[in-house]
mmCIF file of all heavy atoms in Angstrom:
data_model
loop_
_atom_site.group_PDB
_atom_site.id
_atom_site.type_symbol
_atom_site.label_atom_id
_atom_site.label_comp_id
_atom_site.label_asym_id
_atom_site.label_seq_id
_atom_site.Cartn_x
_atom_site.Cartn_y
_atom_site.Cartn_z
ATOM 1 N N GLU A 1 91.487 45.742 -28.070
ATOM 2 C CA GLU A 1 92.457 46.127 -29.080
ATOM 3 C C GLU A 1 91.865 46.004 -30.468
ATOM 4 O O GLU A 1 90.789 45.446 -30.651
ATOM 5 C CB GLU A 1 93.702 45.235 -28.980
ATOM 6 C CG GLU A 1 94.433 45.331 -27.657
ATOM 7 C CD GLU A 1 95.629 44.399 -27.601
ATOM 8 O OE1 GLU A 1 95.645 43.420 -28.385
ATOM 9 O OE2 GLU A 1 96.539 44.640 -26.802
ATOM 10 N N GLY A 2 92.620 46.476 -31.465
ATOM 11 C CA GLY A 2 92.259 46.254 -32.850
ATOM 12 C C GLY A 2 91.477 47.391 -33.463
ATOM 13 O O GLY A 2 91.104 48.364 -32.800
ATOM 14 N N PRO A 3 91.196 47.286 -34.780
ATOM 15 C CA PRO A 3 90.558 48.380 -35.516
ATOM 16 C C PRO A 3 89.127 48.674 -35.081
ATOM 17 O O PRO A 3 88.609 49.731 -35.396
ATOM 18 C CB PRO A 3 90.609 47.904 -36.970
ATOM 19 C CG PRO A 3 90.736 46.413 -36.883
ATOM 20 C CD PRO A 3 91.530 46.147 -35.654
ATOM 21 N N PHE A 4 88.492 47.743 -34.349
ATOM 22 C CA PHE A 4 87.099 47.963 -33.945
ATOM 23 C C PHE A 4 86.957 48.133 -32.430
ATOM 24 O O PHE A 4 85.880 47.964 -31.879
ATOM 25 C CB PHE A 4 86.225 46.806 -34.451
ATOM 26 C CG PHE A 4 86.280 46.655 -35.937
ATOM 27 C CD1 PHE A 4 87.003 45.617 -36.517
ATOM 28 C CD2 PHE A 4 85.649 47.565 -36.774
ATOM 29 C CE1 PHE A 4 87.085 45.489 -37.896
ATOM 30 C CE2 PHE A 4 85.719 47.447 -38.155
ATOM 31 C CZ PHE A 4 86.441 46.410 -38.719
ATOM 32 N N SER A 5 88.061 48.486 -31.773
ATOM 33 C CA SER A 5 88.012 48.646 -30.319
ATOM 34 C C SER A 5 87.054 49.759 -29.915
ATOM 35 O O SER A 5 86.320 49.633 -28.926
ATOM 36 C CB SER A 5 89.412 48.905 -29.766
ATOM 37 O OG SER A 5 89.993 50.044 -30.391
ATOM 38 N N ASP A 6 87.026 50.833 -30.665
ATOM 39 C CA ASP A 6 86.115 51.932 -30.326
ATOM 40 C C ASP A 6 84.664 51.493 -30.473
ATOM 41 O O ASP A 6 83.816 51.827 -29.631
ATOM 42 C CB ASP A 6 86.383 53.154 -31.213
ATOM 43 C CG ASP A 6 85.459 54.319 -30.885
ATOM 44 O OD1 ASP A 6 85.509 54.816 -29.747
ATOM 45 O OD2 ASP A 6 84.658 54.705 -31.765
ATOM 46 N N ALA A 7 84.371 50.734 -31.526
ATOM 47 C CA ALA A 7 83.001 50.244 -31.724
ATOM 48 C C ALA A 7 82.575 49.347 -30.572
ATOM 49 O O ALA A 7 81.447 49.459 -30.068
ATOM 50 C CB ALA A 7 82.900 49.493 -33.050
ATOM 51 N N ILE A 8 83.462 48.477 -30.122
ATOM 52 C CA ILE A 8 83.139 47.586 -29.001
ATOM 53 C C ILE A 8 82.867 48.408 -27.743
ATOM 54 O O ILE A 8 81.912 48.152 -26.996
ATOM 55 C CB ILE A 8 84.279 46.574 -28.761
ATOM 56 C CG1 ILE A 8 84.422 45.614 -29.957
ATOM 57 C CG2 ILE A 8 84.054 45.806 -27.462
ATOM 58 C CD1 ILE A 8 83.234 44.703 -30.162
ATOM 59 N N ARG A 9 83.697 49.396 -27.489
ATOM 60 C CA ARG A 9 83.494 50.220 -26.294
ATOM 61 C C ARG A 9 82.172 50.976 -26.353
ATOM 62 O O ARG A 9 81.528 51.194 -25.326
ATOM 63 C CB ARG A 9 84.652 51.202 -26.136
ATOM 64 C CG ARG A 9 85.964 50.548 -25.748
ATOM 65 C CD ARG A 9 87.018 51.575 -25.339
ATOM 66 N NE ARG A 9 88.249 50.911 -24.947
ATOM 67 C CZ ARG A 9 89.293 50.749 -25.748
ATOM 68 N NH1 ARG A 9 89.257 51.215 -26.986
ATOM 69 N NH2 ARG A 9 90.363 50.113 -25.321
ATOM 70 N N ARG A 10 81.764 51.354 -27.532
ATOM 71 C CA ARG A 10 80.538 52.152 -27.649
ATOM 72 C C ARG A 10 79.274 51.325 -27.453
ATOM 73 O O ARG A 10 78.261 51.849 -27.005
ATOM 74 C CB ARG A 10 80.494 52.846 -29.021
ATOM 75 C CG ARG A 10 81.513 53.969 -29.163
ATOM 76 C CD ARG A 10 81.558 54.489 -30.580
ATOM 77 N NE ARG A 10 80.291 55.100 -30.971
ATOM 78 C CZ ARG A 10 79.991 55.459 -32.210
ATOM 79 N NH1 ARG A 10 80.861 55.217 -33.185
ATOM 80 N NH2 ARG A 10 78.836 56.029 -32.485
ATOM 81 N N VAL A 11 79.309 50.033 -27.789
ATOM 82 C CA VAL A 11 78.070 49.244 -27.721
ATOM 83 C C VAL A 11 77.926 48.447 -26.431
ATOM 84 O O VAL A 11 76.820 48.041 -26.089
ATOM 85 C CB VAL A 11 77.921 48.283 -28.925
ATOM 86 C CG1 VAL A 11 77.849 49.061 -30.219
ATOM 87 C CG2 VAL A 11 79.036 47.262 -28.975
ATOM 88 N N VAL A 12 79.007 48.200 -25.727
ATOM 89 C CA VAL A 12 78.896 47.495 -24.446
ATOM 90 C C VAL A 12 78.392 48.488 -23.400
ATOM 91 O O VAL A 12 78.981 49.541 -23.201
ATOM 92 C CB VAL A 12 80.245 46.884 -24.014
ATOM 93 C CG1 VAL A 12 80.147 46.287 -22.611
ATOM 94 C CG2 VAL A 12 80.669 45.806 -25.014
ATOM 95 N N ARG A 13 77.312 48.134 -22.756
ATOM 96 C CA ARG A 13 76.573 49.079 -21.914
ATOM 97 C C ARG A 13 76.511 48.609 -20.469
ATOM 98 O O ARG A 13 76.320 47.424 -20.200
ATOM 99 C CB ARG A 13 75.159 49.218 -22.472
ATOM 100 C CG ARG A 13 74.226 50.034 -21.617
ATOM 101 C CD ARG A 13 72.849 50.000 -22.214
ATOM 102 N NE ARG A 13 71.920 50.781 -21.413
ATOM 103 C CZ ARG A 13 70.634 50.880 -21.670
ATOM 104 N NH1 ARG A 13 70.113 50.252 -22.702
ATOM 105 N NH2 ARG A 13 69.855 51.610 -20.901
ATOM 106 N N VAL A 14 76.630 49.550 -19.545
ATOM 107 C CA VAL A 14 76.554 49.239 -18.123
ATOM 108 C C VAL A 14 75.228 49.741 -17.559
ATOM 109 O O VAL A 14 74.878 50.903 -17.720
ATOM 110 C CB VAL A 14 77.719 49.889 -17.354
ATOM 111 C CG1 VAL A 14 77.607 49.572 -15.860
ATOM 112 C CG2 VAL A 14 79.053 49.417 -17.906
ATOM 113 N N ARG A 15 74.491 48.839 -16.911
ATOM 114 C CA ARG A 15 73.252 49.205 -16.212
ATOM 115 C C ARG A 15 73.521 49.137 -14.719
ATOM 116 O O ARG A 15 73.961 48.100 -14.225
ATOM 117 C CB ARG A 15 72.124 48.212 -16.514
ATOM 118 C CG ARG A 15 71.633 48.153 -17.942
ATOM 119 C CD ARG A 15 70.683 46.967 -18.038
ATOM 120 N NE ARG A 15 70.113 46.815 -19.358
ATOM 121 C CZ ARG A 15 68.883 47.198 -19.691
ATOM 122 N NH1 ARG A 15 68.100 47.739 -18.772
ATOM 123 N NH2 ARG A 15 68.425 47.034 -20.908
ATOM 124 N N GLY A 16 73.191 50.186 -14.009
ATOM 125 C CA GLY A 16 73.401 50.180 -12.579
ATOM 126 C C GLY A 16 74.812 50.577 -12.232
ATOM 127 O O GLY A 16 75.547 51.161 -13.035
ATOM 128 N N GLU A 17 75.235 50.248 -11.027
ATOM 129 C CA GLU A 17 76.522 50.680 -10.504
ATOM 130 C C GLU A 17 77.397 49.474 -10.210
ATOM 131 O O GLU A 17 77.075 48.642 -9.365
ATOM 132 C CB GLU A 17 76.309 51.497 -9.226
ATOM 133 C CG GLU A 17 77.581 52.096 -8.669
ATOM 134 C CD GLU A 17 77.287 53.029 -7.511
ATOM 135 O OE1 GLU A 17 76.513 53.990 -7.694
ATOM 136 O OE2 GLU A 17 77.812 52.759 -6.412
ATOM 137 N N VAL A 18 78.492 49.362 -10.935
ATOM 138 C CA VAL A 18 79.442 48.286 -10.711
ATOM 139 C C VAL A 18 80.441 48.734 -9.657
ATOM 140 O O VAL A 18 81.236 49.640 -9.890
ATOM 141 C CB VAL A 18 80.167 47.905 -12.015
ATOM 142 C CG1 VAL A 18 81.242 46.858 -11.741
ATOM 143 C CG2 VAL A 18 79.179 47.394 -13.048
ATOM 144 N N ALA A 19 80.366 48.120 -8.499
ATOM 145 C CA ALA A 19 81.259 48.463 -7.396
ATOM 146 C C ALA A 19 82.047 47.213 -7.037
ATOM 147 O O ALA A 19 81.549 46.325 -6.354
ATOM 148 C CB ALA A 19 80.456 48.957 -6.198
ATOM 149 N N ILE A 20 83.264 47.141 -7.498
ATOM 150 C CA ILE A 20 84.055 45.934 -7.287
ATOM 151 C C ILE A 20 85.484 46.335 -6.946
ATOM 152 O O ILE A 20 86.052 47.244 -7.556
ATOM 153 C CB ILE A 20 84.006 45.037 -8.552
ATOM 154 C CG1 ILE A 20 84.654 43.687 -8.281
ATOM 155 C CG2 ILE A 20 84.606 45.733 -9.762
ATOM 156 C CD1 ILE A 20 84.389 42.674 -9.385
ATOM 157 N N ASP A 21 86.044 45.723 -5.923
ATOM 158 C CA ASP A 21 87.412 46.017 -5.507
ATOM 159 C C ASP A 21 88.052 44.703 -5.075
ATOM 160 O O ASP A 21 88.130 44.386 -3.890
ATOM 161 C CB ASP A 21 87.412 47.033 -4.369
ATOM 162 C CG ASP A 21 88.837 47.386 -3.934
ATOM 163 O OD1 ASP A 21 89.773 47.095 -4.702
ATOM 164 O OD2 ASP A 21 88.996 47.933 -2.829
ATOM 165 N N VAL A 22 88.453 43.903 -6.056
ATOM 166 C CA VAL A 22 88.954 42.560 -5.774
ATOM 167 C C VAL A 22 90.155 42.259 -6.653
ATOM 168 O O VAL A 22 90.393 42.919 -7.656
ATOM 169 C CB VAL A 22 87.866 41.492 -6.029
ATOM 170 C CG1 VAL A 22 86.676 41.703 -5.116
ATOM 171 C CG2 VAL A 22 87.428 41.505 -7.495
ATOM 172 N N SER A 23 90.885 41.237 -6.255
ATOM 173 C CA SER A 23 91.975 40.728 -7.095
ATOM 174 C C SER A 23 91.632 39.346 -7.641
ATOM 175 O O SER A 23 92.334 38.826 -8.499
ATOM 176 C CB SER A 23 93.272 40.657 -6.299
ATOM 177 O OG SER A 23 93.119 39.801 -5.179
ATOM 178 N N ALA A 24 90.525 38.760 -7.137
ATOM 179 C CA ALA A 24 90.104 37.426 -7.576
ATOM 180 C C ALA A 24 88.617 37.442 -7.906
ATOM 181 O O ALA A 24 87.826 38.117 -7.237
ATOM 182 C CB ALA A 24 90.383 36.391 -6.495
ATOM 183 N N ILE A 25 88.251 36.699 -8.950
ATOM 184 C CA ILE A 25 86.859 36.641 -9.404
ATOM 185 C C ILE A 25 86.453 35.185 -9.572
ATOM 186 O O ILE A 25 87.209 34.372 -10.128
ATOM 187 C CB ILE A 25 86.680 37.394 -10.738
ATOM 188 C CG1 ILE A 25 86.669 38.904 -10.498
ATOM 189 C CG2 ILE A 25 85.406 36.968 -11.462
ATOM 190 C CD1 ILE A 25 86.600 39.729 -11.776
ATOM 191 N N THR A 26 85.243 34.866 -9.084
ATOM 192 C CA THR A 26 84.625 33.592 -9.424
ATOM 193 C C THR A 26 83.580 33.859 -10.493
ATOM 194 O O THR A 26 82.656 34.645 -10.279
ATOM 195 C CB THR A 26 83.972 32.927 -8.203
ATOM 196 O OG1 THR A 26 84.987 32.607 -7.255
ATOM 197 C CG2 THR A 26 83.265 31.645 -8.609
ATOM 198 N N LEU A 27 83.773 33.235 -11.648
ATOM 199 C CA LEU A 27 82.867 33.410 -12.784
ATOM 200 C C LEU A 27 81.876 32.251 -12.773
ATOM 201 O O LEU A 27 82.268 31.091 -12.928
ATOM 202 C CB LEU A 27 83.669 33.422 -14.088
ATOM 203 C CG LEU A 27 82.892 33.591 -15.395
ATOM 204 C CD1 LEU A 27 82.244 34.969 -15.459
ATOM 205 C CD2 LEU A 27 83.827 33.392 -16.593
ATOM 206 N N VAL A 28 80.598 32.549 -12.584
ATOM 207 C CA VAL A 28 79.554 31.533 -12.538
ATOM 208 C C VAL A 28 78.764 31.598 -13.844
ATOM 209 O O VAL A 28 78.075 32.579 -14.115
ATOM 210 C CB VAL A 28 78.611 31.742 -11.337
ATOM 211 C CG1 VAL A 28 77.575 30.628 -11.276
ATOM 212 C CG2 VAL A 28 79.402 31.812 -10.039
ATOM 213 N N ASP A 29 78.890 30.570 -14.664
ATOM 214 C CA ASP A 29 78.240 30.538 -15.971
ATOM 215 C C ASP A 29 76.847 29.932 -15.827
ATOM 216 O O ASP A 29 76.693 28.740 -15.562
ATOM 217 C CB ASP A 29 79.083 29.723 -16.948
ATOM 218 C CG ASP A 29 78.644 29.895 -18.393
ATOM 219 O OD1 ASP A 29 77.534 30.402 -18.629
ATOM 220 O OD2 ASP A 29 79.428 29.516 -19.287
ATOM 221 N N LEU A 30 75.816 30.758 -16.007
ATOM 222 C CA LEU A 30 74.431 30.316 -15.871
ATOM 223 C C LEU A 30 73.835 29.818 -17.185
ATOM 224 O O LEU A 30 72.689 29.370 -17.214
ATOM 225 C CB LEU A 30 73.563 31.476 -15.349
ATOM 226 C CG LEU A 30 73.938 32.058 -13.991
ATOM 227 C CD1 LEU A 30 73.066 33.274 -13.691
ATOM 228 C CD2 LEU A 30 73.797 31.011 -12.898
ATOM 229 N N ARG A 31 74.582 29.908 -18.269
ATOM 230 C CA ARG A 31 74.027 29.611 -19.586
ATOM 231 C C ARG A 31 73.863 28.111 -19.820
ATOM 232 O O ARG A 31 74.512 27.290 -19.170
ATOM 233 C CB ARG A 31 74.933 30.181 -20.683
ATOM 234 C CG ARG A 31 75.128 31.676 -20.621
ATOM 235 C CD ARG A 31 76.182 32.142 -21.613
ATOM 236 N NE ARG A 31 77.491 31.561 -21.303
ATOM 237 C CZ ARG A 31 78.543 31.623 -22.114
ATOM 238 N NH1 ARG A 31 78.433 32.234 -23.286
ATOM 239 N NH2 ARG A 31 79.698 31.088 -21.749
ATOM 240 N N ASP A 32 73.007 27.767 -20.797
ATOM 241 C CA ASP A 32 72.928 26.394 -21.271
ATOM 242 C C ASP A 32 74.155 26.103 -22.128
ATOM 243 O O ASP A 32 74.949 27.001 -22.438
ATOM 244 C CB ASP A 32 71.656 26.191 -22.101
ATOM 245 C CG ASP A 32 70.406 26.280 -21.246
ATOM 246 O OD1 ASP A 32 70.414 25.736 -20.136
ATOM 247 O OD2 ASP A 32 69.431 26.905 -21.696
ATOM 248 N N ARG A 33 74.298 24.845 -22.541
ATOM 249 C CA ARG A 33 75.422 24.490 -23.409
ATOM 250 C C ARG A 33 75.341 25.286 -24.713
ATOM 251 O O ARG A 33 74.258 25.669 -25.151
ATOM 252 C CB ARG A 33 75.419 22.988 -23.722
ATOM 253 C CG ARG A 33 74.287 22.549 -24.629
ATOM 254 C CD ARG A 33 74.402 21.088 -25.025
ATOM 255 N NE ARG A 33 75.615 20.806 -25.749
ATOM 256 C CZ ARG A 33 75.795 21.088 -27.049
ATOM 257 N NH1 ARG A 33 74.849 21.683 -27.740
ATOM 258 N NH2 ARG A 33 76.927 20.766 -27.634
ATOM 259 N N PRO A 34 76.469 25.550 -25.355
ATOM 260 C CA PRO A 34 76.432 26.281 -26.619
ATOM 261 C C PRO A 34 75.597 25.559 -27.669
ATOM 262 O O PRO A 34 75.531 24.325 -27.689
ATOM 263 C CB PRO A 34 77.911 26.322 -27.040
ATOM 264 C CG PRO A 34 78.683 26.077 -25.799
ATOM 265 C CD PRO A 34 77.832 25.189 -24.954
ATOM 266 N N THR A 35 74.952 26.309 -28.532
ATOM 267 C CA THR A 35 74.201 25.700 -29.626
ATOM 268 C C THR A 35 75.172 25.163 -30.674
ATOM 269 O O THR A 35 76.352 25.518 -30.702
ATOM 270 C CB THR A 35 73.274 26.725 -30.302
ATOM 271 O OG1 THR A 35 74.078 27.726 -30.963
ATOM 272 C CG2 THR A 35 72.367 27.406 -29.289
ATOM 273 N N PHE A 36 74.664 24.303 -31.566
ATOM 274 C CA PHE A 36 75.495 23.805 -32.657
ATOM 275 C C PHE A 36 75.949 24.946 -33.561
ATOM 276 O O PHE A 36 77.006 24.875 -34.185
ATOM 277 C CB PHE A 36 74.740 22.766 -33.478
ATOM 278 C CG PHE A 36 74.662 21.414 -32.816
ATOM 279 C CD1 PHE A 36 73.450 20.898 -32.408
ATOM 280 C CD2 PHE A 36 75.803 20.676 -32.585
ATOM 281 C CE1 PHE A 36 73.367 19.654 -31.799
ATOM 282 C CE2 PHE A 36 75.756 19.431 -31.975
ATOM 283 C CZ PHE A 36 74.525 18.918 -31.579
#
């Protein structure tokens, strides 16, 4: 939403083929802790 929704849609990019048909997702965060 919001005044920059089009900009966000234009820069987020998909590589490969996303094939998902679910009602539940497990999100696994591989990142380190946030920086200061």
Side-chain angles (χ1 to χ4, degrees):
E1 299 178 339
F4 301 105
S5 57
D6 180 62
I8 294 294
R9 290 191 179 98
R10 289 172 64 190
V11 298
V12 174
R13 173 185 180 183
V14 179
R15 295 171 179 259
E17 185 173 303
V18 175
I20 188 168
D21 181 16
V22 298
S23 60
I25 284 176
T26 296
L27 180 66
V28 183
D29 193 345
L30 300 175
R31 300 172 297 169
D32 292 318
R33 70 174 299 282
T35 67
F36 283 115

